Amino acid sequence: MSELAPASNFLRHKIEADLLAQRWSARRWSGKPGPAPDQASAPLDPARVRTRFPPEPNGYLHIGHAKSICLNFGLAREFGGVCHLRLDDTNPTKEEQEYVDAIVEAVHWLGFDWSAFEQTHLYYASDYFETLYAFAEALIHAGFAYVDSQTAEEMRQRRGTLTEAGTPSPWRDRPATESLHLLREMRAGAHAEGSHVLRARIDMSSPNLNLRDPVLYRIRHASHHRTGNAWCIYPMYDYAHPISDALENITHSICTLEFEDHRPLYDWLLERLADLGLLARPVPEQSEFARLNLTGTLTSKRKLQGLVQSKVVTGWDDPRMPTLVGLRRRGYTPSAIRLFCERIGVARADSWIDPFVLEQSLRDDLDPSAGRATAVLDPIRLILDNWPADQFDPCFAPIHPHHPERGQRAFGFGRELWIERDDFAAEPPKGFFRLSPGARVRLRYGHVVECTGWEAGPDGRPTVVRANVLPDSKSGTPGADQYKVKGNIHWLPIDAPSAEIRLYEPLFTDPNPGARDDWLAVINPSSLQQREARVEASAAACYPEERFQFERHGYFVADRCDHRPGQPVFNRIVALKDSKAR
Ligand code: ATP
Ligand code: MG
């Protein structure tokens, strides 16, 4: 596996400096997440750092998430810590168990694990609902939160703008006892959605809009995929997220840049709760990095869901999808994706990555390991008129050119063979070095043949090419190089099994489909091309998810859903060379 040594980045530097300063070394860990009083008498935390990957289970993970997974799990592993997998399931209406299961499977598949120090660190934000609620009451008591009974529209009007301060709500100074009473009623289901919210009391004139008394809780009479109907008030992300981090003893809370403006709120909340003795110090610290943008690709669960719902693709795991299940089905290896994430690095400036970088990571990952095999796409018959019908000459090719110990593949060279339609031209254009009437080519690992003619099918296209074998021309035998030929084409014996080959192009014709409202209008009509093929018998008999380099065509995988013995189906992962470089 060709993984790079970890490159230096600002987050590694920060963690190194924090460790050197023993910034986190006095933290205690009772063995499970909890508020300060539960941790106070516990032993020291065995994890030197704790990071977390906190997806919302509202869809399948995509390549952008892979960057965050590799970063968070990678840093934890590197520095003797642990990365928690936390399902950030605080929004009941969009979340489902199906997505939870898919997320757990995808992170495992990528090669990461959340067990460490004899514990499994798989957590659900919804498990903290009771604590989050208790903290909310404490904030009200301390004067840091109040129930606001304005309508959403009134709140919006009083919020102010980037240049104008907001106006305090008429309910901002209602007594804590009244707020408490209302919050309890809200929890008990006594109020309609939208009638009240709980807000932090911070600063309505802050230049940072996130600090203008942000909403902490709202009423939602909705059933939750884990807590059922136990709750009808649900915490906002900006409230639940920092507290979940703190309860889990997270040291470095790493997120994408769009949360930079939320950091003051993150810090405000945790400091207030630490002042109240509910959270232990030092509290977690948020750092931001630039999200992954991949040219020509959507990286938003919501938009990917749109593709699934509109049936543009066959599902979340369609091989054209940038989801991890899609990339897996396409044939990407976990190590190629990890290599990609290491190569793109981590920075604080937004940038766009060309999909070439991902494709090249797959080539670099598979080249040393993938067995070579032959596939003839769009096969047509080659009949060798001067070769006896009952004669079969075994030809050999290495399974891997750099690993002779892996042995050889054998093909029977006989009178009838399959060659690729594109390797024959009845009227060859200039510079065409493959088969055409009168031309000579080498049949790879076999003999040199000279084309004598061809026959057309009903549609006028060639179905049979005729040729003669030149004497003493077999590859690797003495005198074979007396024939100087410019072309070298691949072939298969006539009894080679047939297979379906799926070739892919980018799903979108626009380099930034995510920036458009009508991204369904820029779907590439040739994003999937199904081709008839013949393949080597050993490849046809492989297991789903086995990978090969089909010579001249690229890297392929046996489709994990549709490939069966007797009905082989291969997906092209990537071509051998970058199409733009050719
Ligand atoms: P989406 O819009 O696809 O739902 P999200 O950020 O809302 O993305 P979450 O489930 O909240 O999805 O994301 C979990 C983690 O993955 C977050 O910490 C988020 O910052 C990170 N993440 C999401 N997209 C990217 C990306 N394109 N590049 C890097 N990290 C990402
Ligand atoms: Mg989200």
Side-chain angles (χ1 to χ4, degrees):
M1 198 162 67
S2 47
E3 262 168 276
L4 294 178
S8 181
N9 68 49
F10 73 98
L11 289 168
R12 285 192 175 109
H13 285 310
K14 173 163 182 16
I15 296 179
E16 275 161 13
D18 287 349
L19 287 174
L20 204 64
Q22 304 213 321
R23 180 142 181 229
W24 307 97
S25 53
R27 292 168 313 123
R28 297 180 176 276
W29 177 246
S30 69
K32 56 178 201 266
D38 296 6
Q39 309 285 6
S41 55
L44 288 176
D45 192 334
R48 297 171 77 214
V49 296
R50 285 184 192 263
T51 56
R52 84 288 171 268
F53 173 64
E56 182 179 359
N58 62 347
Y60 283 65
L61 299 182
H62 52 64
I63 185 72
H65 294 111
K67 177 174 180 180
S68 177
I69 294 169
C70 289
L71 182 63
N72 280 296
F73 282 90
L75 288 170
R77 185 185 281 175
E78 204 178 310
F79 289 102
V82 56
C83 177
H84 298 186
L85 177 58
R86 180 194 315 143
L87 283 308
D88 191 4
D89 56 350
T90 52
N91 184 354
T93 51
K94 293 191 199 153
E95 297 158 2
E96 288 176 32
Q97 187 61 38
E98 174 197 349
Y99 300 138
V100 172
D101 297 340
I103 288 169
V104 165
E105 192 181 345
V107 180
H108 261 155
W109 175 76
L110 252 193
F112 296 103
D113 190 70
W114 40 88
S115 355
F117 312 105
E118 291 162 27
Q119 277 194 281
T120 299
H121 300 279
L122 173 65
Y123 300 113
Y124 294 84
S126 56
D127 284 345
Y128 310 141
F129 279 170
E130 203 61 65
T131 307
L132 290 163
Y133 177 80
F135 284 12
E137 287 207 352
L139 288 170
I140 295 176
H141 268 300
F144 294 129
Y146 61 97
V147 169
D148 192 351
S149 307
Q150 298 182 95
T151 63
E153 185 49 36
E154 286 166 339
M155 278 180 57
R156 215 175 357 256
Q157 280 167 4
R158 292 204 162 94
R159 196 163 180 233
T161 63
L162 284 174
T163 50
E164 273 172 79
T167 316
S169 159
W171 306 105
R172 195 171 197 263
D173 293 317
R174 81 185 344 157
T177 47
E178 192 179 311
S179 281
L180 258 180
H181 181 72
L182 277 167
L183 183 67
R184 288 177 186 165
E185 283 186 352
M186 284 159 67
R187 176 180 181 170
H191 295 285
E193 285 189 15
S195 56
H196 308 279
V197 291
L198 180 72
R199 296 178 77 175
R201 183 187 276 109
I202 309 182
D203 179 4
M204 284 307 289
S205 56
S206 170
N208 183 334
L209 274 79
N210 294 301
L211 294 181
R212 292 187 188 171
D213 291 11
V215 174
L216 307 182
Y217 265 94
R218 67 221 190 289
I219 302 170
R220 276 268 187 290
H221 291 279
S223 148
H224 183 279
H225 72 108
R226 290 187 81 239
T227 58
N229 294 321
W231 293 88
C232 60
I233 54 172
Y234 289 93
M236 303 299 287
Y237 174 88
D238 276 340
Y239 179 69
H241 193 82
I243 298 176
S244 304
D245 282 347
L247 295 173
E248 292 179 19
N249 253 16
I250 299 303
T251 55
H252 300 83
S253 177
I254 300 168
C255 62
T256 40
L257 278 173
E258 61 271 25
F259 292 102
E260 190 174 10
D261 287 350
H262 299 234
R263 183 162 17 112
L265 174 55
Y266 185 102
D267 294 341
W268 182 90
L269 255 176
L270 295 187
E271 284 302 326
R272 296 295 82 72
L273 291 164
D275 286 345
L276 296 174
L278 296 172
L279 294 176
R281 288 206 159 88
V283 293
E285 197 179 30
Q286 173 178 311
S287 308
E288 307 85 19
F289 70 100
R291 58 183 284 118
L292 168 67
N293 298 307
L294 199 59
T295 307
T297 307
L298 285 180
T299 42
S300 147
K301 285 189 234 118
R302 184 178 60 80
K303 290 179 179 168
L304 293 174
Q305 182 152 49
L307 292 176
V308 174
Q309 277 164 354
S310 60
K311 298 204 159 39
V312 166
V313 294
T314 56
W316 288 97
D317 71 345
D318 187 298
R320 293 166 292 181
M321 290 282 271
T323 50
L324 295 179
V325 278
L327 290 165
R328 174 177 183 178
R329 188 163 170 201
R330 175 73 167 263
Y332 274 90
T333 55
S335 44
I337 296 175
R338 293 196 303 264
L339 179 61
F340 166 73
C341 290
E342 197 60 50
R343 283 181 176 172
I344 58 176
V346 180
R348 277 190 51 89
D350 268 315
S351 66
W352 283 84
I353 303 290
D354 194 289
F356 169 77
V357 184
L358 179 60
E359 293 172 4
Q360 191 55 35
S361 300
L362 188 275
R363 293 186 191 104
D364 291 342
D365 184 46
L366 283 191
D367 180 55
S369 60
R372 274 40 172 182
T374 303
V376 171
L377 270 55
D378 265 336
I380 57 173
R381 259 164 219 268
L382 174 67
I383 300 181
L384 302 170
D385 288 305
N386 67 344
W387 189 273
D390 57 354
Q391 188 177 324
F392 293 93
D393 179 23
C395 296
F396 296 95
I399 289 178
H400 195 288
H402 306 313
H403 296 286
E405 75 284 359
R406 289 178 63 176
Q408 302 216 303
R409 343 177 235 134
F411 326 75
F413 187 94
R415 180 183 165 87
E416 282 195 37
L417 306 174
W418 294 111
I419 60 166
E420 209 146 287
R421 176 178 297 284
D422 282 353
D423 282 339
F424 173 75
E427 287 162 35
K430 205 162 180 289
F432 186 85
F433 296 131
R434 290 164 280 166
L435 216 49
S436 59
R440 289 179 177 185
V441 294
R442 173 167 300 285
L443 297 177
R444 209 156 190 210
Y445 311 116
H447 302 253
V448 175
V449 300
E450 181 174 294
C451 179
T452 53
W454 59 287
E455 291 158 24
D459 60 358
R461 298 207 306 163
T463 50
V464 174
V465 176
R466 292 190 173 270
N468 284 326
V469 180
L470 300 181
D472 300 324
S473 65
K474 186 173 180 187
S475 264
T477 60
D481 48 7
Q482 65 182 299
Y483 300 101
K484 299 288 176 224
V485 290
K486 287 191 175 150
N488 183 322
I489 68 174
H490 63 276
W491 56 277
L492 280 170
I494 202 74
D495 61 355
S498 48
E500 179 184 330
I501 298 268
R502 297 174 182 167
L503 303 178
Y504 300 97
E505 284 181 11
L507 187 52
F508 294 101
T509 52
D510 187 310
N512 188 1
R516 311 175 60 112
D517 295 328
D518 63 340
W519 32 274
L520 289 178
V522 286
I523 300 287
N524 175 1
S526 18
S527 60
L528 166 63
Q529 298 153 38
Q530 280 156 297
R531 306 281 274 279
E532 277 298 304
R534 297 279 170 160
V535 296
E536 255 178 75
S538 59
C542 76
Y543 291 105
E545 296 205 275
E546 266 192 70
R547 297 176 181 83
F548 297 91
Q549 186 196 99
F550 286 151
E551 294 186 6
R552 293 171 67 199
H553 287 303
Y555 294 95
F556 289 74
V557 69
D559 188 89
R560 65 186 285 245
C561 302
D562 298 341
H563 174 87
R564 330 215 122 69
Q567 256 183 316
V569 179
F570 291 96
N571 302 327
R572 177 151 75 186
I573 319 170
V574 295
L576 282 184
K577 286 203 181 70
D578 178 24
S579 55
K580 276 178 253 165
R582 259 187 278 184

